[in-house]
């Protein structure tokens, strides 16, 4: 499973766009990039997944450059309820790989 | 539709005691996963059931941990005897099909071993 590196924490104000970048230099050809969100006392919740270029859903966008060695989760117009820990995972979704979350990025939204 | 549920939400036991955690996956989900987060550290995989079979238990820390999923429905994770380092939050997740990427996580059980 490819190792990922993320910022330990980030602060932002309500209404701003937040971008969290994850580095995964040894990503493999079959690996997908998946982001999870975790609120205190809850399990991680799936946000978005992508393989290359750009993916957008109702919650976030995921930008993946051509070399795929990094990815950026973009949260538009954040609110206080977006305060959470965000995890980036890289792995082959067609294999029974065990999932190991890193420490994630603690995002704190300020009023 | 009911999500993944776990019981209890918090358990406090003394070192040497036995504790059993329960996970009820979403109905119809064949895949069930157990994870553990120890204070300040990342969430780590423990094991994966497909129906009642253990597909991968390589994350189980030692033989004090026993997971079962009789009948392929709910699962239990027993810790016997519990040690101080077993304290943490134990998450359960389920998914419908192998390779399906979205795992639905339960709220976790916080285990405190004194």
């Amino acid at each position: 499973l490819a190792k990922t590196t993320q910022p330990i924490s980030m602060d932002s104000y309500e209404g701003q766009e937040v971008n969290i970048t994850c580095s995964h230099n040894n990503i493999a050809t079959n690996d997908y990039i998946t982001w999870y969100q975790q609120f205190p006392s809850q399990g991680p919740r799936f946000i978005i997944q992508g393989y290359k270029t750009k993916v957008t859903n109702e919650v976030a966008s995921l930008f993946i450059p051509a070399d795929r060695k990094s990815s950026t989760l973009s949260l538009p117009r954040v609110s206080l309820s977006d305060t959470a820990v965000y995890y980036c995972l890289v792995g082959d979704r067609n294999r029974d790989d065990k999932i190991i979350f890193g420490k994630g990025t603690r995002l704190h939204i300020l009023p | 539709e009911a999500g993944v549920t776990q019981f209890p939400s918090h358990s406090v036991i003394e070192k040497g005691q036995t504790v059993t955690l329960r996970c009820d996956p979403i109905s119809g989900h064949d895949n069930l996963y157990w994870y553990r987060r120890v204070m300040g550290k990342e969430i780590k995989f423990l094991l994966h059931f497909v129906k009642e079979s253990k597909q991968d238990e390589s994350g189980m820390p030692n033989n004090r941990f026993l997971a079962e999923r009789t009948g392929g429905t709910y699962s239990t994770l027993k810790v016997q005897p519990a040690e101080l380092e077993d304290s943490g939050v134990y998450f359960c997740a389920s998914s419908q099909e192998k390779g399906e990427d979205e795992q639905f996580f339960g709220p976790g059980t916080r285990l405190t071993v004194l």
Side-chain angles (χ1 to χ4, degrees):
Chain A
L1 213 62
K3 179 181 177 180
T4 61
T5 304
Q6 305 173 233
I8 295 174
S9 68
M10 298 176 69
D11 288 351
S12 184
Y13 289 99
E14 277 192 294
Q16 291 185 328
E17 177 184 88
V18 170
N19 295 309
I20 306 174
T21 297
C22 177
S23 298
H24 27 80
N25 292 319
N26 59 338
I27 187 170
T29 302
N30 293 331
D31 286 346
Y32 278 72
I33 300 154
T34 309
W35 284 80
Y36 286 80
Q37 175 190 55
Q38 184 183 28
F39 296 111
S41 302
Q42 295 185 22
R45 184 179 63 157
F46 174 92
I47 302 176
I48 196 167
Q49 183 186 76
Y51 184 81
K52 62 179 180 181
T53 63
K54 177 183 175 182
V55 179
T56 298
N57 61 22
E58 65 277 8
V59 177
S61 293
L62 180 60
F63 297 92
I64 305 167
D67 66 5
R68 304 202 324 123
K69 293 183 182 300
S70 67
S71 59
T72 299
L73 174 71
S74 181
L75 305 173
R77 297 180 300 280
V78 294
S79 63
L80 295 177
S81 62
D82 292 317
T83 295
V85 180
Y86 292 82
Y87 296 95
C88 162
L89 275 75
V90 175
D92 186 340
R93 68 179 184 180
N94 293 315
R95 287 179 51 186
D96 193 20
D97 286 318
K98 52 190 174 185
I99 297 175
I100 299 177
F101 289 73
K103 290 184 171 61
T105 298
R106 188 171 299 278
L107 176 64
H108 187 204
I109 305 302
L110 306 170
Chain B
E1 181 184 10
V4 177
T5 58
Q6 293 185 244
F7 178 83
S9 57
H10 189 192
S11 178
V12 181
I13 60 173
E14 292 185 338
K15 175 183 174 180
Q17 289 186 319
T18 297
V19 64
T20 300
L21 314 181
R22 172 170 170 147
C23 169
D24 287 82
I26 292 173
S27 178
H29 281 195
D30 288 338
N31 293 278
L32 187 149
Y33 306 80
W34 282 99
Y35 300 86
R36 172 171 81 163
R37 180 170 188 163
V38 177
M39 182 71 72
K41 297 184 179 180
E42 64 267 18
I43 296 173
K44 286 193 173 181
F45 166 91
L46 295 178
L47 88 162
H48 170 208
F49 282 99
V50 178
K51 297 184 179 179
E52 68 277 2
S53 300
K54 293 177 183 176
Q55 188 75 10
D56 180 0
E57 55 183 323
S58 60
M60 296 287 266
N62 52 61
N63 59 9
R64 295 185 293 103
F65 288 75
L66 175 64
E68 294 181 321
R69 193 184 182 195
T70 306
T73 54
Y74 71 89
S75 175
T76 58
L77 179 64
K78 179 188 288 187
V79 184
Q80 180 183 30
E83 298 289 344
L84 298 178
E85 65 265 21
D86 299 332
S87 294
V89 181
Y90 290 77
F91 292 103
C92 173
S94 71
S95 67
Q96 193 164 7
E97 298 177 17
K98 179 178 179 178
E100 181 70 26
D101 303 292
E102 184 172 2
Q103 293 184 17
F104 295 85
F105 282 78
T109 293
R110 180 173 297 280
L111 175 63
T112 302
V113 182
L114 303 177

